[in-house]
Amino acid sequence: MSPDYVHRTGAPPGYKPVHLVIAVVVFICWFGVLAFVLSHGRNEASSVDVYSELPPGFTGALETKGVTYEGLSPVDAATQQQALARVPAVGNDNGGQPLVFRTSFTVAKGSGQPGTATPALMVVVPDPRGTDVHVDFVDPTSYQPLKTVEYGGTGPSSTP
């Protein structure tokens, strides 16, 4: 018979028993790590609670202006600096620490109908006295302001 028709039996050329042992160890480690990752972190609070950084009554105040947001997440320092550099300056009496978050916002259309969700960076500048809050929604790529909302003691205002 020719060698093409003969089926070789046994281990392939170059095979050593240690290869099987290594494969089994890698297989066990892979599933061990997978089991560990999946079993940890359940029912635990997020390590970053960005909602607690917002001023009291923030969500309700924006909703009265017809603006809703969802999905807050923190941004890196470079993105924060870019957003703050392009946002129009607020009044001189406002020395609050600005907060910058990644989110999407919706502006209610006429008769209370919701608009389209727009991805944005939300820049929140609270007044240190706790009376006024200035909010800018900024485009995440061009850093151009999309919507500005102010509420608090100086009288509510909202601009498109």
Side-chain angles (χ1 to χ4, degrees):
M1 285 191 148
S2 85
D4 294 337
Y5 295 113
V6 175
H7 295 290
R8 180 178 159 100
T9 58
Y15 172 79
K16 296 180 182 172
V18 72
H19 294 146
L20 182 61
V21 173
I22 292 171
V24 169
V25 169
V26 168
F27 184 77
I28 290 172
C29 289
W30 174 258
F31 280 102
V33 168
L34 183 63
F36 176 80
V37 167
L38 292 177
S39 66
H40 286 74
R42 284 190 176 167
N43 301 324
E44 294 178 11
S46 173
S47 62
V48 178
D49 183 15
V50 294
Y51 292 94
S52 66
E53 297 179 35
L54 294 172
F58 180 78
T59 302
L62 285 185
E63 287 175 351
T64 61
K65 306 285 186 180
V67 178
T68 57
Y69 65 92
E70 61 182 40
L72 287 185
S73 62
V75 297
D76 58 64
T79 303
Q80 181 173 355
Q81 287 177 344
Q82 287 282 348
L84 293 174
R86 301 258 172 57
V87 171
V90 293
N92 293 336
D93 64 341
N94 193 334
Q97 178 64 33
L99 306 168
V100 181
F101 303 107
R102 190 171 308 279
T103 188
S104 64
F105 76 102
T106 304
V107 178
K109 294 180 181 180
S111 69
Q113 296 176 351
T116 305
T118 305
L121 298 174
M122 180 171 67
V123 180
V124 181
V125 184
D127 185 346
R129 298 173 302 223
T131 57
D132 302 326
V133 178
H134 180 88
V135 183
D136 281 306
F137 291 96
V138 180
D139 184 88
T141 54
S142 69
Y143 298 101
Q144 296 301 314
L146 300 171
K147 174 104 177 128
T148 300
V149 178
E150 291 184 18
Y151 71 88
T154 60
S157 66
S158 177
T159 60

